[in-house]
Each structure stands twice: as structure tokens, then as C-alpha cells.
């Protein structure tokens, strides 16, 4: 077993996701902020009397959460932590769950930056304002704070830091 990996602070994770515009470094696919899927599933299940849905699963299994199995956003160590890669911004990249799983702990040298999935290319350009559905997370979390996990609450704080919440409840950036 290698060195155990200290958790990456959520603020740092968010700055990496934003820097990378919520797109996988390796395959260029747009990624999804996973906690939003749990909140969406909660809402939809309520509306459907609890009928099961495959929007969210804690382990992002294909059976339980196919979208996250493919496109769940993770922070990837470019140089693996176990081989000395740091938790620093330039060693961290946004990745989709598939690329992260395939790269696993192979060092960058060994992996050689090989692209494990063919990178996609936009015929009409790259996403301009994709946010991994994190904006939906903020809205749903603020609307119904009961039942948020401790992790959700921390995320909400991180997302809304520096944002001013208006009396009507929506947040917007302040200069
Ligand atoms: Zn990818």
C-alpha cells in the first residue's frame, strides 16, 4: 500500500474544476459534479412516489448511476500521489471517471499521457459556459437544505463563497 492520500480541500477541487472548465483533461468530455445527481434523484423520486432511478449511486456504478460511471467529475493527480505527485494546482487536473479509472495509479511516465479514450472534438467549438451542473446543485441545495449531507453543506459553502445571496434567494457574483 502506498502513502495514504490526504483529501484535497473542496475549495482547491473547485478551483481546478473551474480552471479546466469542467472538461476532462484526457478525453475532453464535459464532466458532471456528482453530488447534484443525488439531489436531482431525490426530487424526481419524490415526484414519482419513490420509483427507483439510476441517477445517483454512492459508488458511481454503471448499474446504479451510468452517467456518473462515465462522466462523474474527479480530481486526477497528473503524477500519482503514490509516486510523489503533489496536491498542488499544477499537478491536479479535472478528469472524467472513466479516464481516472483507466489511468489509475500508473505514473505519468508509464502512462505517457496516453489518451485512454479518444478525445472528442467539438465541430462548433468548445463548451463556453459548462459548469458540470454545479449551478443546479446550488439551487437545489439552497431550496431544500434538509437532508443535505455534511459534504453537500461544505460544497454549498464553497460554491457560494464570494457570492451574495439576494433576498429572493438566488445567488449572483459580486465584483
Ligand atoms: Zn475523460
Amino acid at each position: 500500500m502506498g502513502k495514504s492520500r490526504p483529501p484535497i480541500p473542496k475549495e482547491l477541487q473547485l478551483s481546478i474544476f473551474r480552471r479546466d472548465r469542467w472538461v476532462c483533461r484526457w478525453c475532453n468530455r464535459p464532466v458532471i459534479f456528482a453530488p447534484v445527481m443525488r439531489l436531482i434523484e431525490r426530487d424526481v423520486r419524490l415526484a414519482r412516489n419513490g420509483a427507483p432511478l439510476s441517477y445517483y449511486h454512492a459508488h458511481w456504478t454503471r448499474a446504479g448511476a451510468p452517467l456518473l460511471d462515465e462522466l462523474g467529475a474527479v480530481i486526477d493527480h497528473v503524477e500519482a500521489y503514490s509516486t510523489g505527485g503533489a496536491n498542488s494546482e499544477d499537478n491536479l487536473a479535472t478528469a472524467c471517471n472513466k479516464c481516472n479509472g483507466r489511468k489509475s495509479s500508473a505514473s505519468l511516465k508509464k502512462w505517457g499521457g496516453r489518451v485512454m479514450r479518444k478525445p472528442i472534438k467539438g465541430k462548433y467549438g468548445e463548451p463556453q459556459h459548462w459548469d458540470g451542473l454545479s449551478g443546479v446543485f446550488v439551487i437545489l441545495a439552497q431550496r431544500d437544505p434538509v437532508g443535505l449531507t455534511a459534504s453537500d453543506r461544505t460544497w454549498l459553502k464553497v460554491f457560494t463563497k464570494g457570492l451574495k445571496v439576494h433576498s429572493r434567494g438566488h445567488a449572483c457574483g459580486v465584483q
Side-chain angles (χ1 to χ4, degrees), residues 26 103 106 108 110-117:
W26 316 116
K103 179 168 171 281
L108 186 65
K110 204 159 130 202
W111 193 63
R114 246 179 322 140
V115 177
M116 307 306 278
R117 306 172 88 185

Side-chain angles (χ1 to χ4, degrees), residues 51-66:
L53 277 173
S54 301
Y55 286 9
Y56 183 82
H57 182 280
H59 302 300
W60 301 10
T61 60
R62 179 173 169 80

Side-chain angles (χ1 to χ4, degrees), residues 24-29 31 70-71 95-100 117:
C24 174
R25 169 80 62 94
W26 316 116
C27 72
N28 219 26
R29 282 172 174 78
V31 296
E70 292 284 328
L71 297 174
C96 73
N97 189 45
K98 270 290 173 271
C99 286
N100 182 251
R117 306 172 88 185

Side-chain angles (χ1 to χ4, degrees), residues 2-129:
K3 280 191 290 180
S4 74
R5 182 191 291 194
I8 303 166
K10 289 182 167 55
E11 279 191 21
L12 178 56
Q13 294 188 46
L14 181 57
S15 71
I16 302 297
F17 289 143
R18 284 183 171 156
R19 178 197 68 194
D20 298 340
R21 295 165 161 256
W22 297 91
V23 165
C24 174
R25 169 80 62 94
W26 316 116
C27 72
N28 219 26
R29 282 172 174 78
V31 296
I32 293 166
F33 179 64
V36 74
M37 296 306 292
R38 197 179 65 81
L39 299 189
I40 295 174
E41 181 175 280
R42 184 183 66 174
D43 269 30
V44 178
R45 285 186 68 164
L46 273 174
R48 290 197 197 159
N49 300 319
L53 277 173
S54 301
Y55 286 9
Y56 183 82
H57 182 280
H59 302 300
W60 301 10
T61 60
R62 179 173 169 80
L67 203 50
L68 294 181
D69 174 52
E70 292 284 328
L71 297 174
V74 300
I75 298 288
D76 205 357
H77 285 77
V78 177
E79 172 71 34
Y81 188 82
S82 58
T83 58
N87 266 358
S88 61
E89 282 199 40
D90 54 0
N91 191 48
L92 298 175
T94 299
C96 73
N97 189 45
K98 270 290 173 271
C99 286
N100 182 251
R102 286 172 189 173
K103 179 168 171 281
S104 111
S105 64
S107 76
L108 186 65
K109 235 180 276 166
K110 204 159 130 202
W111 193 63
R114 246 179 322 140
V115 177
M116 307 306 278
R117 306 172 88 185
K118 206 172 160 226
I120 55 131
K121 231 176 159 176
K123 192 174 175 187
Y124 301 104
E126 289 304 302
Q128 296 296 300
H129 305 290

